[in-house]
Amino acid sequence: MNNFASTAETNSPWRQILGVRFFVGDAPEAVEIGARGGLVVVPAAPALLELRSDPDYREALLEADLPITDSGFLVILWNLMMRDRIHRVSGLEYLKLLLLRPEFFQPAQCLWIMPSESALELNLIWLKKQGFAVEREDCYVAPKYGRPVTDPHLVDLVNRRSPRHIVIGLGGGVQEKLGLYLKRHCPGKPAIHCIGAAIGFLTGDQVAIPHWADQWVLGWLFRCAANPSRFVPRYAKALQLPALLWKYRSELPELIPKK
């Protein structure tokens, strides 16, 4: 197996990592691509392990139009193993740049999908304070999804309102499946941004992550310090990623569904 990235590969803003075609250019370019329409996913290191055990999550990442390298751990491992120089595209930076686009200041251009009523209220207050054109009817509280992830009511809402952007702020492993479901059932081809907790970092629904911490890939440390019982086990799981990446590199891992 070749452990080195070719010259042609290093000149490309895309890399195939664990079978997923990741964008590895800069954040402004990622936003330009993502805003054109399609599915944007921001997989964290622990979630990438689900490529080998969750066929629905695997399918969502493979069919995404713009997977970005939010995982600094993945980027560091890839560069070391492949002697490459790819960049991390922070999901938080992506969201900040996305929110600068003029359509977010225009009515009915965005639909926000939130995990709970409390998160919706907090995020709505923050968005209004920033001057965004968002009202309660521009927000949707997601139900608890089963398998497979389906939501005909949400599809009907999207197709009636025809928003230019859909921002999904749910947990990793669920939001990507919902995003793919919407991509398949919404012919208007909205831009579907699966940004997870990123909006919560800005609004206070999640622990605040300073810009320098995000740039130095220390966001995980802030989250672990704020809620160790929840996040320490999650990030400890990511320690399995080096072995997975070493074995498969650019190839899609073998699917071994959970029993």
Side-chain angles (χ1 to χ4, degrees), residues 4 19 36 61 125 130 165 179 181 218 252:
F4 302 90
R36 295 172 192 163
L61 262 57
I125 291 170
Q130 307 309 308
H165 296 276
Y181 175 77
L218 293 174
L252 186 64

Side-chain angles (χ1 to χ4, degrees), residues 15 17 22-25 41-43 66-72 74-75 86-91:
R15 292 290 188 284
I17 304 173
F22 279 94
F23 178 77
V24 297
V41 296
V42 188
L66 185 69
I68 64 175
T69 50
D70 178 60
S71 170
L74 175 68
V75 169
I86 67 171
H87 302 288
R88 173 178 177 253
V89 181
S90 160

